[in-house]
Amino acid sequence: MACNCKDIDFGSEENFAQQIMVDIPPHMDGYKQARLNEGLSDKICIDPCIIDEVKELWSLGIKTLGCCCGHNKAEPFVNVHEKDIQKMLSLGYVQNHQDKNRKDTFRLKSV
């Protein structure tokens, strides 16, 4: 799926309005509990153009810790739990964080 974002700035009302709210999957219960302990929701918002890819990663047991389609302004990415880094590499994902010491950020394939 292509990113259909046009003139959507990061963190803007338009950005949040177009996102899809989903339940945190069961294999990420520790993340869910940490969010609840911080007073945050047990749901997360995902950009619509990457939701299928993120759900596919979840179906493979990968714990995601943040993602963004890039809104046609930046590279689309997903952050994963450190234990899933090798699995992402074996699936053909490419690491892409500006800080080369960060190994947990990968470029998404769907946009």
Side-chain angles (χ1 to χ4, degrees), residues 11-78:
S12 67
E13 283 186 37
E14 294 85 5
N15 178 20
F16 293 112
Q18 58 91 33
Q19 291 181 329
I20 299 170
M21 187 175 288
V22 296
D23 292 324
I24 296 173
H27 77 283
M28 292 173 43
D29 193 55
Y31 177 63
K32 177 180 175 178
Q33 290 305 316
R35 286 179 56 85
L36 291 172
N37 290 343
E38 292 178 23
L40 299 173
S41 173
D42 64 345
K43 299 184 184 319
I44 51 177
C45 295
I46 301 176
D47 295 318
C49 54
I50 61 173
I51 195 161
D52 290 338
E53 185 172 4
V54 171
K55 285 183 174 182
E56 176 64 22
L57 293 173
W58 290 347
S59 76
L60 297 171
I62 294 172
K63 294 179 181 178
T64 62
L65 303 172
C67 58
C68 181
C69 70
H71 308 288
N72 290 313
K73 297 178 181 194
E75 291 286 322
F77 74 89
V78 62

